[in-house]
Amino acid sequence: MAGLSVLRYEIMNNEQSIAFIRDFLEACVRAEPDEFASYFTDDAVWWNSPWKPVSGRAAIRETLRRGASMMKALPWRLEHILAHGNIVMTERVDNFLVEETPVSVPCMGIFELREGKIAAWRDYWDLQEFEKQLPPKT
């Protein structure tokens, strides 16, 4: 029966893929680096556009760790989510607390799944929209 459980994770149906990404988005808000990294394949790529892509689970973990040290994630609002095959797309508003200032960023995300993990994650959002909400530098 081990072969059947492997097959189950290799070929997730649309509902399973959506549930997996919903769980992942909740993990993003908790921002615990090891939990976050556990959702990715070893060779995953995270492109948090407009920044450069990050390759590999260890580098993705470190990028999240550094980001979480600069801001606290607040609950994200998921507007829409859909899946087809190994692709899941999300429209969200990601919320953060930078120092004591709330920041909200509309975002489109595309996830490519492989063997029950995220092999690629691309988020598209407006850096200027983010920066104009930041607290003034002292």
Side-chain angles (χ1 to χ4, degrees), residues 23-32 36 72-76 95:
D23 289 347
F24 171 71
L25 295 174
E26 291 173 9
C28 289
V29 173
R30 290 189 293 275
E32 197 292 312
F36 179 81
K72 175 182 174 33
L74 300 174
W76 293 357
N95 299 298

Side-chain angles (χ1 to χ4, degrees), residues 1-11:
M1 285 300 193
L4 290 178
S5 68
V6 170
L7 180 62
R8 183 175 68 94
Y9 288 107
E10 289 178 1
I11 305 171

Side-chain angles (χ1 to χ4, degrees), residues 26 29 37 39 62 66 75 98 105 109-110 113-114 123 132:
E26 291 173 9
V29 173
Y39 282 84
E62 178 59 17
R66 282 193 325 262
V98 181
V105 182
I110 294 97
L113 305 180
R114 185 175 72 232
D123 266 353
K132 76 180 186 184

Side-chain angles (χ1 to χ4, degrees), residues 24-119:
F24 171 71
L25 295 174
E26 291 173 9
C28 289
V29 173
R30 290 189 293 275
E32 197 292 312
D34 290 331
E35 178 190 18
F36 179 81
S38 74
Y39 282 84
F40 291 88
T41 62
D42 289 336
D43 62 345
V45 176
W46 175 22
W47 184 18
N48 198 9
S49 175
W51 297 314
K52 292 183 180 187
V54 178
S55 296
R57 181 185 291 152
I60 290 169
R61 181 195 179 286
E62 178 59 17
T63 300
L64 179 273
R65 189 198 61 74
R66 282 193 325 262
S69 72
M70 296 185 287
M71 67 182 87
K72 175 182 174 33
L74 300 174
W76 293 357
R77 190 172 74 234
L78 184 61
E79 299 290 346
H80 298 98
I81 187 168
L82 60 95
H84 183 73
N86 69 325
I87 304 295
V88 179
M89 298 179 71
T90 61
E91 178 186 16
R92 320 182 302 270
V93 176
D94 295 356
N95 299 298
F96 302 94
L97 195 61
V98 181
E99 296 172 12
E100 296 300 315
T101 303
V103 176
S104 296
V105 182
C107 179
M108 283 295 301
I110 294 97
F111 299 86
E112 294 180 35
L113 305 180
R114 185 175 72 232
E115 299 175 1
K117 301 268 186 184
I118 299 167

